[in-house]
Amino acid sequence: MQGSSKKIALITGANKGIGFGIARELGKAGMSVLLGARNAGLGEEAATKLRSENLDVRFIQVDLVRPETIQAAAASIAAQFQRLDVLINNAAIADQADGPPSTADLNSVQRIMETNFLGTLAITQAMLPLLRKADAARIVNLSSGLGSLKKNGDPNWGFASYKLIGYCASKAALNMLTVQLAYELRDTTIKVNSVSPGFVATDMNQHRGTKTVEEGAAGPVRLALLPPDGPTGSFFDENGPHPW
Ligand code: NDP
């Protein structure tokens, strides 16, 4: 198949929540959206829903803890499109057995790191050759205020009691990936940024979040559409730069 003139975007964990919202908005922006999901049934269902809205969306299987799915996705994108313009590293887990450093279950911390950090690093490495083939690729890492060392160190911060060492460390590690990869790619047109979507009502927090999925998707979408003079190696929330 010939390469597409439309931009190609891959969003991990896009069958629901903020990822689904990002998929919809990038589709509306005129991109060919590859809706990543680990569960084929859920992924197909979500892609079908967005196609019913006349958006160019197809399911692609990506399970961050199954490297063979990452390799197969990269091979499939290479065969169909020969490049990737946007990678949104959205998929992540929280875990009930996570907790403060003194008591968090170590297996839980390991599971979280394997998905949120190692899995994200793995897919980023796998997609990088395709991202390098795009004119001006964008990598967006879904981080969190909970990954901010500065915020975590502030006892008066509104979320100061959320001391989940596994989840928070996974997002701090993701922020390190943003900074180091942006440095590695500094002489290219590729931009790499972290974004906190805010406290968004999704399954991850039993819908306790105060923002809608549309509001949470806005920051990641903005970074996916950054112009050539936009920032790289930075961390944002809806109000602008976010402290590391
Ligand atoms: P959801 O729990 O609603 O969605 C998470 C998505 O990730 C689901 O599609 C899930 O798939 C997928 N996923 C989980 N594990 C894997 C895996 N191993 N491989 C591939 N996909 C996987 O979460 P949100 O939409 O709330 O979160 C999206 C991102 O935003 C995350 O990175 C989260 O950490 C971040 N974030 C969210 C905040 C919030 O308030 N909601 C606040 C700050 C950051 P499945 O359906 O199969 O489980």
Side-chain angles (χ1 to χ4, degrees):
M1 194 184 288
Q2 286 301 305
S4 169
S5 58
K6 294 169 80 171
K7 290 200 166 172
I8 317 297
L10 169 62
I11 304 130
T12 63
N15 53 289
K16 67 178 184 181
I18 298 167
F20 182 76
I22 296 169
R24 175 181 272 141
E25 293 307 317
L26 293 184
K28 284 197 214 165
M31 294 192 188
S32 286
V33 173
L34 305 175
L35 184 150
R38 57 179 165 179
N39 179 297
L42 295 176
E44 291 285 11
E45 192 181 332
T48 301
K49 174 155 179 37
L50 292 181
R51 275 199 301 276
S52 77
E53 300 174 17
N54 287 323
L55 302 176
D56 178 4
V57 179
R58 69 203 80 181
F59 159 67
I60 188 165
Q61 188 164 40
V62 176
D63 185 331
L64 293 183
V65 295
R66 289 175 56 212
E68 68 277 15
T69 67
I70 294 176
Q71 294 311 324
S76 162
I77 296 168
Q80 286 187 71
F81 304 106
Q82 298 85 47
R83 68 170 206 281
L84 183 64
D85 297 278
V86 173
L87 172 63
I88 310 275
N89 284 319
N90 169 78
I93 56 168
D95 192 302
Q96 289 209 328
D98 194 6
S102 56
T103 56
D105 178 81
L106 293 182
N107 291 322
S108 166
V109 174
Q110 185 170 1
R111 275 195 299 278
I112 295 167
M113 292 301 285
E114 281 175 356
T115 299
N116 299 8
F117 177 62
L118 283 172
T120 300
L121 178 60
I123 194 164
T124 304
Q125 289 184 348
M127 296 299 157
L128 209 45
L130 290 163
L131 291 159
R132 286 182 187 275
K133 289 187 179 150
D135 286 342
R138 305 287 178 253
I139 301 172
V140 182
N141 293 325
L142 268 282
S143 185
S144 169
L146 295 178
S148 164
L149 298 179
K150 184 151 197 288
K151 296 267 187 188
N152 271 268
D154 175 2
N156 298 315
W157 179 41
F159 292 90
S161 63
Y162 286 61
K163 291 290 183 275
L164 304 167
I165 187 65
Y167 183 82
C168 296
S170 77
K171 294 301 185 181
L174 188 65
N175 283 346
M176 184 63 80
L177 169 62
T178 295
V179 170
Q180 292 201 354
L181 188 59
Y183 173 82
E184 267 195 284
L185 298 174
R186 66 195 181 283
D187 294 328
T188 75
T189 55
I190 304 176
K191 296 187 187 300
V192 191
N193 290 291
S194 279
V195 60
S196 165
F199 192 32
V200 180
T202 66
D203 287 350
M204 185 171 276
N205 51 42
Q206 295 77 45
H207 293 261
R208 286 192 305 257
T210 51
K211 297 173 76 175
T212 65
V213 157
E214 291 71 26
E215 289 168 333
V221 167
R222 183 182 76 80
L223 293 174
L225 300 175
L226 277 180
D229 61 349
T232 188
S234 299
F235 185 16
F236 295 95
D237 66 9
E238 70 273 26
N239 299 316
H242 191 287
W244 293 110

